[in-house]
Amino acid sequence: MLHLLGAVALVAIVSTSPEVAAFPLSLSSFAASANRLVARADAVYSPPVYPTPETRATGDWTVAVNKAKAELSTWTLAERAALATGDLWQPPGLCVGNVKPIASTGFPGLCLQDAPVGVRVADLVSAFPSGVNVAATFDRTLMFSRGLAMGNEFKGKGVNIALGPGMNPARTAEGGRNWEGFGADPYLQGEAAYQTITGMQASGVQATAKHFIGNEEEHLRIESSSNIDDRTLHEIYLHPFLRSVQANVANVMTAYNQINGSWAAQNSKLNNGILKGELGFSGTVMSDWAGARSGLASALGGLDMNMPGVPNWLTFDGTSYWGVDNLLKMVSNGSMPESRVTDMATRILSSWYLLGQDVDFPATNFNGWDLTDEATNQHVNVQDDHYKLIRQMGSSATVLLKNTNNALPLKNPKSLLVIGDDAFPSSKNGDPNFYTYRGGNDGTLAVGWGSGANDFPYLVDPLSAIIARSASLKTNVTSSRNNFDLAAAGALAGGKDAALVFINSNSGEAVSIVDGNDGDRNNISAWGGGDQLVLAVAAKNKNTIVIVHSVGVMDTELWIDHPNVTAVVWAGLPGQESGNSCADVLFGDVNPSGRLPYTIAKDQSHYVHATPLSNTESHPQVTYSEKLNVDYRHFAANNLKPRFPFGFGLSYTKFSYSGLSIKTLSLTSAQTTDLHAPKYTVNFTVQNCGSVSGEDVPQLYLTFPSSASEPPRVLRGFTKVSLAAGKSVSVSLALSTYDLSIWDVVKQKWVKPSGTFKVVVATDALAAASLSGSI
Ligand code: BGC
């Protein structure tokens, strides 16, 4: 019955939509389609939830929402509608998304610009480390600082709305945009999203949490349906968005894909029911670029801003599903209440007031469509001293995966070989389109491709940094960029104190196909023959050190156990200071403290794989059948041994944990009913018991009572501590009732299962407990 009601409601909504109203529905064809829907309902069904909850003046949004309401009470319906659709796509618009000034009201318009790593298609800006490196730092302070520094750059360029951060978990091994988000665990994603947004918005720039939701792969992303059950959706994929709402994120961008058979931009269950309903999101829901697939259905389904609005990419005929004319028509013909338009405008204006953009916000001073046009580019330098933070984050995110007999740090080597194209500068550096549409393997990899990348002001390549750092040591550095002349590589490697082999693996957004990879990688081997290069060097040099720049997991099985591969350094995508960050770690100026934000398998059948390039279905059904068992949870649940688990990373020193105690906090009655208030603290001591200073990342995992049917371990806490040799520090990690709850699909709420929870403090997701206790 419920399903049929859903189907009726769906048909009712669709039949009033201007673009499909003419579709003839006979009674028999209606019955046939209703039956089909019922037959498919278990697998692919997104229930209708209407109407869109109106934004409320509560909490931190109170002043902003009240100001927006007061201001809008003086605007005409057409003026309110004008806020909701992007315009000026391409010049004379300056940004990738533009809301036109509304002269009659004095509203100055909005500039929306990528990217999650810094201002995209602009000069004199910084290229920050990618999300995956942010996650690998496991350092909330650095996450916040990067957000703030990026926010200041966006504001300095006159960007109102930064189109980031991305927070789609790395569900599949090949997922093209995995590097934009913060790894494979929802808790880590959530913490990084929270800090990034808080930092960005502290600068006065609106952040955008994206892509809501289920956009975990690229190939066919604008056609596929991500089919996610309710519990998995809440516990894994929604969590980073929940933390974003808690950080008062101003905007949420919908995905391109469908979720359970309904396009993200018009999915009323997700936008009305979950985002604006359950999470109480007060800001603006905007579409991804041409991600709205309908006019009325998306307006009623909770979309507040259609981007880029005009033209519609799917037609490119100058029309838009929205625009003032269409929105007004929907109201005047009774399809949509006027209050829906008013609420779109209220949300957009509330976000603007929340960030104080009504006072002294800089006008846009660059032209993202033409950086050479002197009339529209003022060439404002916003880089400040952000290179210092970028360098620090690069080394803080570097994960040391293998270090046999302390091969690293390098100890005054007399001779070094630096080999591999990935150690060298890019021949295309300076080409404004290069990082967005990066063509093949050309020089060191410091960011993936697509709208998640920005233009580097410069890129310090590893070779230059190593030469500079080793100059005072009088090290003789030999180098070769050739990945494919294996005989020459072996000959160069022989007799050197150490051979540093740089390899990489790239991916990006499905806006361009690079070396046959449609955003998602076709495989997870090293690009450019990297594996064979390592083997050729290791065959001739007993101290072969491999440095990997990778967008995510990369298979290491061909060489990881080779006795001559003494060290492996996982450097991710570090941004503009890449070479310096790497040299800092190689030479021991910085003790590596990054931890893997995903699990590297031994056996590729242990990964979830993205829809292959060979799949050309028009609407592939991507079923999240692993449910809660994403990444390390899958390995733990099935007792599988990976090569390197989530959370793993070595140091040049050693740490020990002791003295676990768990305290139940005494709460006020308000705190008792607050699902998210800290309820317990897990306390212990971390000691640096080695001989050099360093940073450690103790991790807290919970094992739920078995009745909860959770994976064996789930991350619920971490911190980064910095300790001089021999020193100790007390750590206290808080747990809320939410942290101990599961999503009850029947009760439709968070429920704490009864029974005993095991609390584990460990060095990675699968390591034996260093400390354990129970709640
Ligand atoms: C991407 C978004 C991006 C937008 C604007 C889309 O193709 O999916 O992440 O913000 O373009 O560039």
Side-chain angles (χ1 to χ4, degrees), residues 142-152 195-201 203 389:
L142 289 179
M143 291 169 179
F144 175 89
S145 304
R146 171 179 169 275
L148 180 62
M150 286 201 307
N152 284 331
Q195 296 299 337
T196 303
I197 291 163
T198 311
M200 283 178 95
Q201 296 201 159
S203 72
L389 173 69

Side-chain angles (χ1 to χ4, degrees), residues 89 96-97 112-116 120 162-164 166 168 177 180 208 210-211 215 218 221-222 253-256 286-291 307-308 313 369 437 450-452 509-511:
W89 163 253
V96 72
L112 294 79
Q113 190 74 2
D114 297 298
R120 177 176 163 222
L163 300 174
N168 298 108
R177 298 179 81 172
E180 291 188 43
T208 305
K210 69 185 189 184
H211 307 84
N215 183 187
E218 282 301 288
R221 66 176 170 164
I222 61 168
M253 184 192 292
T254 56
Y256 280 123
M286 79 170 72
S287 70
D288 199 342
W289 266 231
M307 275 291 154
W313 269 6
W369 299 103
Y437 306 108
S451 64
E509 185 181 350
V511 285

